Amino acid sequence: MIFEFQPDKLVYGGEALGHQAGRTVLARGVLPGERAEVEDIRTAKGVVHARALRILEPAPERVAPPCPYFGRCGGCQYQHFGNELQVTAKQEILRETLRRLGRINWTGEISVHTSPPWNYRNRAELKVAATPGGEAALGFFETESNRLCPVDACLILSPRLNELLGQLRHPEWSSRLSGISEIEILADDRDERAMLTFRGILSPRDGERLAREALAQLPGAISVGMDDGRRLTVVGEAALPYRVGGFTYRVSARSFFQVSRFLLPELVEAVTAETSGAVAMDLFAGVGLFTLPLARHFGQVIAVEADPRAARDLAANARAHALENVRAVTETVSDFLRRCAQAEADVVVLDPPREGVGINNLKQLLVLRPQRLAYVSCNPPTLARDLGFLVNQGYTLNSLELFDFFPHTYHIESLAKLSRLVKNSIGMSC
Ligand SMILES: C[S@@+](CC[C@H](N)C(=O)[O-])C[C@H]1O[C@@H](n2cnc3c(N)ncnc32)[C@H](O)[C@@H]1O
């Protein structure tokens, strides 16, 4: 159905919210203050999801999206208004989400760390699909779909990633990609060296040949993996070195690493600055992005990471920097907290995936009675739920920061710092 729509506000997820004929509508590509003709795509839980067909009355802040794939490619949602306004909208969305889902009325400042708006991604997951002519096309999935949107270049990828995309989509390379469904590329902090992982079904011999050719021929490639879903075979370097602040981290294929390159030193500084004490915990630690700097300021750092590959990188990173006070624990956070209910920590850093830490884990964590918490979140709704619980349990939210890691997308990365007034004097080491 096609109908006219005037949204009230932007909400988390990239859509604009409004009402039409008594129904709640979420539409893509429309701004508050605009009048648009939209078409419904689907209805879920009583909410109509729609997309803009025509803007009948544009808002003054509307700009022409610079990317020719905008609206079709699923990567960006916000190229139709400027970056400064995007940041203001994200601040409001974060504030509103905390109020609505966490019952937290944060009236203080949300300080913002802004990134250069283009060429910021250091990691790309290029999708590969066969064209009707039988050749391989590269790009990203369309919005809410598994259909390929082939792209020549992407404005938010780093120059090295775009260069590699350009080479891979050239017939000389794309003709070798049958059987490959995805190519993941991580470029280093200088945007020079790169680690590539080809995913798909190839015979071990063909897979290894492809990996060796990529290593020899693709610019900056120092490590190339072939991942068939069961086994990962790597040729060249075993991992990519990535420097942030005073530390060089080894990052293996499949280990988590942050994907926005410009604000990483600022994030690490904000999480770890002005903290010191006997014990810090870094939960959901990855390859140790926060663990290593924390280890300079604490007697001991316990770093918990469930993924064995990332946990191995973490332990190697601590060893390479001679940080003997790091204990790398390969375990899920819930198993660790259940097992170590009597451990003591002055500061706990939490950087969970989108699902958040979760109330059960937080209940276990509070048995440790940590005095200060630094919660890094990539998902405001789960952050709101978790902060709501912590505030109910006697923690004070002291500061809220927004790291605009992903300009032109709806994604919101934030850091919340909390403290409790009374420190528990009883505690045992785990
Ligand atoms: C958002 S990343 C943060 C990693 C690291 N702090 C960083 O900034 O590079 C979340 C990490 O948590 C790990 N993870 C996911 N679920 C987990 C769990 N239940 N227990 C422990 N680690 C988990 C993932 O493997 C990933 O490395």
Side-chain angles (χ1 to χ4, degrees):
M1 192 178 69
I2 293 173
F3 58 96
E4 259 191 45
F5 179 57
Q6 288 181 272
D8 303 323
K9 59 180 178 182
L10 291 169
V11 293
Y12 185 63
E15 293 167 309
L17 173 82
H19 296 89
Q20 194 263 352
R23 300 176 309 168
T24 303
V25 179
L26 286 171
R28 290 191 185 281
V30 199
L31 293 172
E34 292 189 325
R35 196 163 62 83
E37 190 176 77
V38 302
E39 176 184 40
D40 66 349
I41 311 167
R42 64 189 160 87
T43 301
K45 296 183 185 162
V47 176
V48 178
H49 294 262
R51 69 183 170 95
L53 295 178
R54 250 180 347 133
I55 304 299
L56 304 171
E57 275 174 31
E61 53 269 29
R62 176 169 282 273
V63 298
C67 172
Y69 311 107
F70 182 70
R72 185 173 162 217
C73 171
C76 292
Q77 299 76 35
Y78 284 172
Q79 289 194 16
H80 54 312
F81 62 115
N83 194 227
E84 272 179 31
L85 279 169
Q86 293 172 22
V87 171
T88 312
K90 288 180 186 183
Q91 279 174 302
E92 278 322 300
I93 290 169
L94 180 59
R95 204 184 287 281
E96 219 260 323
T97 308
L98 291 187
R99 189 165 45 234
R100 195 167 48 84
L101 300 179
R103 305 262 170 264
I104 293 175
N105 192 20
W106 176 255
T107 53
E109 189 194 359
I110 301 178
S111 49
V112 173
H113 303 258
T114 50
S115 161
W118 304 109
N119 301 118
Y120 58 81
R121 280 193 70 103
N122 54 12
R123 190 192 289 266
E125 282 169 13
L126 303 172
K127 309 295 178 197
V128 186
T131 62
E135 287 141 23
L138 278 79
F140 301 104
F141 283 151
E142 292 181 6
T143 308
E144 290 184 41
S145 135
N146 286 343
R147 245 194 333 264
L148 187 82
C149 172
V151 304
D152 294 347
C154 167
L155 295 174
I156 63 173
L157 295 188
S158 77
R160 174 59 91 203
L161 296 187
N162 268 316
E163 189 184 5
L164 285 163
L165 165 61
Q167 295 264 337
L168 287 162
R169 57 182 295 285
H170 196 274
E172 189 193 326
W173 261 98
S174 62
S175 59
R176 305 181 215 177
L177 297 179
S178 81
I180 299 297
S181 55
E182 184 177 274
I183 307 169
E184 184 173 328
I185 316 174
L186 174 68
D188 70 1
D189 52 291
R190 297 170 67 98
D191 201 34
E192 286 172 357
R193 294 177 290 183
M195 176 166 68
L196 291 95
T197 308
F198 290 86
R199 303 215 163 89
I201 312 295
L202 286 189
S203 70
R205 228 182 72 214
D206 288 350
E208 188 174 332
R209 195 184 57 223
L210 183 71
R212 290 203 180 282
E213 287 170 359
L215 189 68
Q217 295 168 23
L218 292 175
I222 62 159
S223 170
V224 184
M226 193 53 233
D227 183 353
D228 67 4
R230 285 176 301 133
R231 230 163 53 104
L232 172 71
T233 314
V234 177
V235 297
E237 303 288 326
L240 183 77
Y242 198 110
R243 191 163 180 85
V244 183
F247 299 94
T248 301
Y249 299 83
R250 60 164 278 161
V251 185
S252 300
R254 289 203 199 139
S255 289
F256 175 89
F257 199 74
Q258 300 286 348
V259 301
S260 180
R261 63 202 185 109
F262 294 121
L263 292 181
L264 278 186
E266 264 175 71
L267 176 69
V268 172
E269 174 68 15
V271 170
T272 60
E274 292 168 31
T275 54
S276 61
V279 181
M281 281 184 188
D282 184 7
L283 304 185
F284 308 95
V287 303
L289 183 66
F290 306 125
T291 311
L292 304 194
L294 286 170
R296 293 260 196 258
H297 302 286
F298 285 83
Q300 191 186 24
V301 183
I302 302 173
V304 182
E305 167 58 47
D307 174 36
R309 221 172 272 270
R312 268 201 300 279
D313 285 345
L314 195 165
N317 287 329
R319 271 197 309 276
H321 292 84
L323 293 167
E324 282 163 19
N325 55 342
V326 170
R327 224 185 94 205
V329 180
T330 313
E331 204 171 20
T332 64
V333 164
S334 53
D335 284 351
F336 168 77
L337 289 173
R338 255 198 308 275
R339 194 169 55 74
C340 294
Q342 304 234 288
E344 186 179 356
D346 301 295
V347 170
V348 176
V349 174
L350 300 158
D351 185 7
R354 294 185 63 75
E355 306 87 69
V357 179
I359 304 301
N360 286 340
N361 283 336
L362 289 175
K363 281 183 184 162
Q364 291 283 344
L365 177 67
L366 294 198
V367 177
L368 278 57
R369 298 171 75 84
Q371 200 178 2
R372 281 171 291 153
L373 302 174
Y375 192 136
V376 181
S377 161
C378 58
N379 190 10
T382 54
L383 175 73
R385 176 201 63 202
D386 290 350
L387 291 190
F389 175 79
L390 289 166
V391 168
N392 262 331
Q393 298 298 312
Y395 279 82
T396 304
L397 179 58
N398 297 320
S399 65
L400 203 50
E401 295 173 59
L402 192 153
F403 289 81
D404 194 24
F405 267 13
F406 304 106
H408 315 296
T409 80
Y410 69 84
H411 293 289
I412 297 177
E413 188 85 11
S414 62
L415 167 64
K417 287 192 169 172
L418 302 98
S419 61
R420 59 177 294 127
L421 290 176
V422 187
K423 185 181 186 301
N424 183 25
S425 55
I426 311 160
M428 288 164 56
S429 287
C430 173

